[in-house]
Amino acid sequence: MKRKSFIKVMAASSVGAAAFGAEQARAEVKAAPKKVLMKVGCQSGGTTVENLEFKARHGVFNLDGGSPVTIPGKGWDLDDSMKKREACEKYGISLDAYHYPLTSAGIDKVQYPNIMLGKSPERDREIEILQQMIQVAGKTGIKVLNYNTTILPVLRTGRYTDPKRGNADYSVWNYEEALKQNHPKTIAGDVTIEQMFERITYLLDRILPVAKEYKVKLANHIADPPTPVGYRGITRWNSPDVFKGIQRFAKLYDSEYHGFNFCIGSIAEGLKDPKTEIMPIIKWVGERNQIFNVHLRNIKGGWNNFQEVYPDNGDMNFLHVVRALRDVGFSGMVMPDHVPHHHDPASTPQAFSFAYGYIKGLLQAVSDEVKS
């Protein structure tokens, strides 16, 4: 080979190697695990000294503080809200969220029923109160308001005692058993999915602009559990296809203040194979930046038949779940939710203590993957 030709070949090879090396480096950077931004949090217990000390002892420094005192006919008491924040700060706890009085208690018990009944002009007055609550939240520095848009309450049909976990009691939902129990319709009567979405958009059209003004994210918890069409007269907005329901709700508004109190357990309750089917849902919602909080609740079973269990003995692998949350850049609270109970008087704090430690271990594990 002539000298000039040899030099050209070697130069081309060097350029090719450099290009390959650069491409490989880019691929490695792209594939590298992302930094862990999420933190363990909780929504139970409020801002009492007893609860704040309990949280601090267990390394929980982010909190959903429940809600401030309500002034009848007006909304939340700003002074009480500021006192809650000050109480948290004494323990180094960040008061990140509140619960809106749109709860999962069911239409017969919820404080402001006319919104999901679609009843005007009563719902307009209720919405004015909710707008005032957003203002109080924003002035207090609250980042997220968690809420529900449901008619039926949280649905369960019984309990199961697990001898392999110290006779812990798990709450159970079985659709066939629910039909046998033959519970009546609510005061709402029959409500289609289109009516559900009309009532949801009527609400959000009026409160999202206020949320944007005060920089407060509105995090909707899906109906628990997803159910077949028309159960007790109601088709829930996330039913019968939970992923399609989530996508429809997510696409209602292009707003950074519109998203989810993302309950892993409740979503899994609408899936046939939660272990695998939960992953693309996390990816889809997470990449849209619409996961505002996470409830880390595990189950055994799925659509129409499940038990709520401890985080480590359900069908979903929560290491994989938390890793997926990391990879979509989720930065909010990861919270225990419905914990199992047992006969010991300290049942609830024991279960929450276990859950806090488990979540902190998961966060450390996926964080160490970034460092290694």
Side-chain angles (χ1 to χ4, degrees), residues 226-227 229 237-247 270-271 303:
T227 54
V229 171
W237 65 262
N238 58 316
S239 300
D241 187 320
V242 66
F243 195 3
K244 286 184 178 179
I246 287 171
Q247 290 174 318
L271 304 175
W303 172 246

Side-chain angles (χ1 to χ4, degrees), residues 197-367:
F197 272 99
E198 183 278 327
R199 296 171 192 184
I200 290 169
T201 54
Y202 190 94
L203 167 68
L204 293 178
D205 282 347
R206 289 156 180 79
I207 64 173
L208 258 179
V210 185
K212 180 179 179 181
E213 179 182 355
Y214 285 87
K215 295 180 171 55
V216 178
K217 294 180 178 181
L218 302 179
N220 197 346
H221 189 297
I222 74 166
D224 178 10
T227 54
V229 171
Y231 173 67
R232 292 176 60 187
I234 305 298
T235 300
R236 307 188 115 173
W237 65 262
N238 58 316
S239 300
D241 187 320
V242 66
F243 195 3
K244 286 184 178 179
I246 287 171
Q247 290 174 318
R248 180 174 178 179
F249 180 87
K251 292 177 181 178
L252 289 176
Y253 303 91
D254 182 14
S255 170
E256 63 183 295
Y257 301 98
H258 171 65
F260 297 93
N261 186 5
F262 196 78
C263 182
I264 300 291
S266 295
I267 297 168
E269 293 162 8
L271 304 175
K272 293 180 180 179
D273 182 16
K275 183 176 181 178
T276 59
E277 292 179 66
I278 193 67
M279 305 308 285
I281 300 176
I282 293 171
K283 181 177 173 61
W284 190 89
V285 182
E287 289 180 346
R288 293 173 61 89
N289 296 316
Q290 287 182 292
I291 301 178
F292 297 159
N293 286 318
V294 166
H295 285 173
L296 201 66
R297 185 204 313 171
N298 216 337
I299 66 168
K300 288 183 179 179
W303 172 246
N304 283 341
N305 185 24
F306 64 83
Q307 303 169 5
E308 291 184 311
V309 298
Y310 288 102
D312 66 316
N313 69 330
D315 290 341
M316 291 177 285
N317 185 323
F318 275 169
L319 177 61
H320 297 166
V321 166
V322 171
R323 187 180 288 140
L325 290 168
R326 177 202 64 193
D327 290 346
V328 295
F330 171 63
S331 61
M333 291 187 287
V334 180
M335 300 180 276
D337 189 20
H338 299 176
V339 294
H341 298 277
H342 53 85
H343 56 79
D344 192 297
S347 167
T348 298
Q350 286 177 15
F352 272 103
S353 297
F354 175 80
Y356 297 147
Y358 192 81
I359 293 171
K360 288 178 75 69
L362 289 172
L363 296 184
Q364 183 173 328
V366 298
S367 179

